[in-house]
Amino acid sequence: MPEIEKLVAAFEDPGVVELMVNDDGAVYVERSGARLEKIDARPAPSDVLAFVRAVVGAPEEFGPKRPYADFSATDGSRVHVLAPPLVRGLTVTVRKR
């Protein structure tokens, strides 16, 4: 399964309440009432960017000129993005509704 599909599958999993992608590409999920769990995914920065754009559903801008951004996903989830130069690589947290 391609890495972006793993992100989408985790996002669509009804048991997952939070999805996190660290700047090194490590992906963690929090399930309701459980500890963080690392999942077998290592998305490339381009996959993470495509995932964020798909979840947010709009051409929101973030990057060097706007390295810190908070968005609402199309389903109402909260999406927090950090980008270089604040961090080494794209970092994303999605807190689902």
Side-chain angles (χ1 to χ4, degrees):
M1 174 184 299
E3 301 304 294
I4 191 167
E5 289 181 19
K6 293 177 183 179
L7 291 176
V8 172
F11 178 73
E12 292 177 346
D13 182 338
V16 171
V17 295
E18 189 159 3
L19 170 70
M20 293 151 271
V21 181
N22 287 347
D23 60 358
D24 65 356
V27 180
Y28 295 86
V29 295
E30 178 185 343
R31 297 184 188 281
S32 183
R35 292 179 174 232
L36 290 180
E37 168 189 335
K38 187 174 184 178
I39 64 171
D40 182 29
R42 279 282 181 182
S46 59
D47 288 335
V48 178
L49 181 62
F51 170 73
V52 170
R53 298 230 185 269
V55 168
V56 172
E60 295 287 350
E61 290 300 321
F62 54 90
K65 292 182 180 179
R66 186 181 177 198
Y68 177 93
D70 289 306
F71 306 113
S72 289
T74 55
D75 71 347
S77 298
R78 295 183 315 235
V79 181
H80 178 74
V81 179
L82 291 174
L86 292 180
V87 291
R88 293 174 294 193
L90 199 57
T91 303
V92 178
T93 304
V94 180
R95 185 71 176 179
K96 293 170 56 177
R97 287 187 56 169

